[in-house]
C-alpha cells in the first residue's frame, strides 16, 4: 500500500511540484492533497494541473486563534487520511498540539544548513555572517521551530558578491532534489540522512 502524502504550501509550490512529480512508478508514496493557507498561492493551480486534490484553509479569518485555524486545517487533512505531511514553503508556525498530533509523520524543508539560521531571511544572514557555504535542510517537524531531527542537507558555495536572491536561486534546485530523496527514504521507514551533492 502506498503511503498517502499531504503537502502544505503557502506560495509558488515549486517544492510541491518536485515532490509530486517524484511520487510516480515504484515510489512508495502518492500525493493525495495539496492544501494552502493562502487562497492566492500559485502552487494550487500547479497541483490541479497535476491532478491532485486541493484545499484552502485561509488563516486570516482566524486572526490570532491558531487552535481554531489548525482545527479547520486538521478537518481538511483528515478527510484525505494522509500518512505523511510535507511542509513545502508553508509559512505558518504550528502549535505544539498540532506538531505532537503528527509527530514522526511530518517533514519540512528549510533554506539553510540547520541548526544555523532557523526562521526567516536565511540567505541574507548567511551572507552577512561571511559564510562560505549555505544550503537547505529537510527535517522532521517538532514543537521547536526548524529544530527537529535532520533527515537531509544539500550544500552550495556562497560566492563573492552574492545577493540573497542569487543565493536563493542557487539553493532552490537543490531543494527540488533533496526533498524528494528524503521523502522516498522516509516513506520506506529508512531514517538514514541524505547529503547532497
Ligand atoms: C523555499 O525556498 C523553501 O525552502 C522555503 O520557501 C521557499 C518556497 O518555495 N520554505 P516554493 O513555494 O516551494 O516554490
Amino acid at each position: 500500500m502506498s503511503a498517502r502524502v499531504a503537502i502544505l504550501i503557502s506560495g509558488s509550490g515549486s517544492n510541491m511540484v518536485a515532490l509530486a512529480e517524484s511520487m510516480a512508478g515504484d515510489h512508495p508514496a502518492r500525493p493525495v492533497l495539496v492544501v494552502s493557507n493562502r487562497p492566492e498561492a500559485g502552487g494550487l493551480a500547479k497541483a490541479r494541473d497535476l491532478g491532485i486534490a486541493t484545499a484552502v484553509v485561509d488563516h486570516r479569518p482566524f486572526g490570532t486563534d491558531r487552535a481554531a485555524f489548525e482545527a479547520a486545517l486538521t478537518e481538511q487533512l483528515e478527510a484525505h487520511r494522509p500518512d505523511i505531511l510535507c511542509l513545502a514553503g508553508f509559512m505558518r508556525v504550528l502549535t505544539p498540539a498540532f506538531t505532537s498530533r503528527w509527530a514522526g509523520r511530518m517533514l519540512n524543508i528549510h533554506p539553510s544548513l540547520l541548526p544555523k539560521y532557523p526562521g526567516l531571511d536565511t540567505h541574507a544572514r548567511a551572507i552577512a555572517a561571511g559564510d562560505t557555504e549555505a544550503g537547505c535542510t529537510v527535517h522532521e517537524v517538532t514543537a521547536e521551530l526548524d529544530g527537529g531531527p535532520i533527515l537531509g542537507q544539500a550544500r552550495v558555495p556562497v560566492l563573492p558578491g552574492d545577493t540573497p536572491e542569487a543565493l536563493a536561486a542557487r539553493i532552490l534546485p537543490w531543494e527540488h532534489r533533496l526533498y524528494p530523496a528524503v521523502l522516498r527514504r522516509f516513506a520506506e521507514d529508512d531514517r538514514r540522512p541524505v547529503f547532497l551533492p
Side-chain angles (χ1 to χ4, degrees):
M1 266 289 282
S2 298
R4 299 169 63 83
V5 177
I7 306 172
L8 288 73
I9 67 170
S10 298
S12 63
S14 70
N15 277 290
M16 178 277 297
V17 170
L19 288 170
E21 290 182 340
S22 77
M23 288 185 260
D26 69 346
H27 194 289
R30 287 291 179 276
V32 296
L33 175 70
V34 171
V35 57
S36 174
N37 64 299
R38 296 179 55 247
E40 65 276 18
L44 289 167
K46 295 174 186 170
R48 285 191 286 270
D49 291 347
L50 291 167
I52 305 169
T54 62
V56 171
V57 183
D58 189 339
H59 66 276
R60 288 165 287 204
F62 297 96
T64 57
D65 190 344
R66 289 180 180 277
F69 163 70
E70 289 176 359
L73 177 61
T74 299
E75 198 180 317
Q76 283 295 340
L77 290 169
E78 293 292 7
H80 293 81
R81 296 178 293 105
D83 303 298
I84 299 171
L85 302 189
C86 287
L87 308 185
F90 184 69
M91 303 308 278
R92 298 299 294 168
V93 176
L94 298 163
T95 68
F98 189 92
T99 58
S100 57
R101 181 191 181 109
W102 296 94
R105 301 192 285 154
M106 186 159 48
L107 306 178
N108 180 43
I109 185 144
H110 182 76
S112 81
L113 295 174
L114 292 170
K116 281 184 134 179
Y117 315 125
L120 301 174
D121 307 323
T122 57
H123 309 306
R125 292 156 69 192
I127 292 166
D131 291 357
T132 56
E133 263 196 330
C136 54
T137 303
V138 176
H139 62 95
E140 275 191 56
V141 177
T142 63
E144 184 192 349
L145 182 67
D146 301 327
I150 291 174
L151 297 172
Q153 286 190 319
R155 294 170 180 272
V156 304
V158 178
L159 303 177
D162 256 347
T163 61
E165 293 72 26
L167 186 51
R170 190 172 309 121
I171 292 171
L172 197 57
W174 285 102
E175 293 185 31
H176 299 160
R177 294 186 190 99
L178 179 68
Y179 212 170
V182 170
L183 174 61
R184 178 181 268 272
R185 285 196 177 173
F186 194 79
E188 291 166 345
D189 274 331
D190 178 351
R191 293 292 180 272
R192 288 173 300 145
V194 177
F195 294 111
L196 300 176

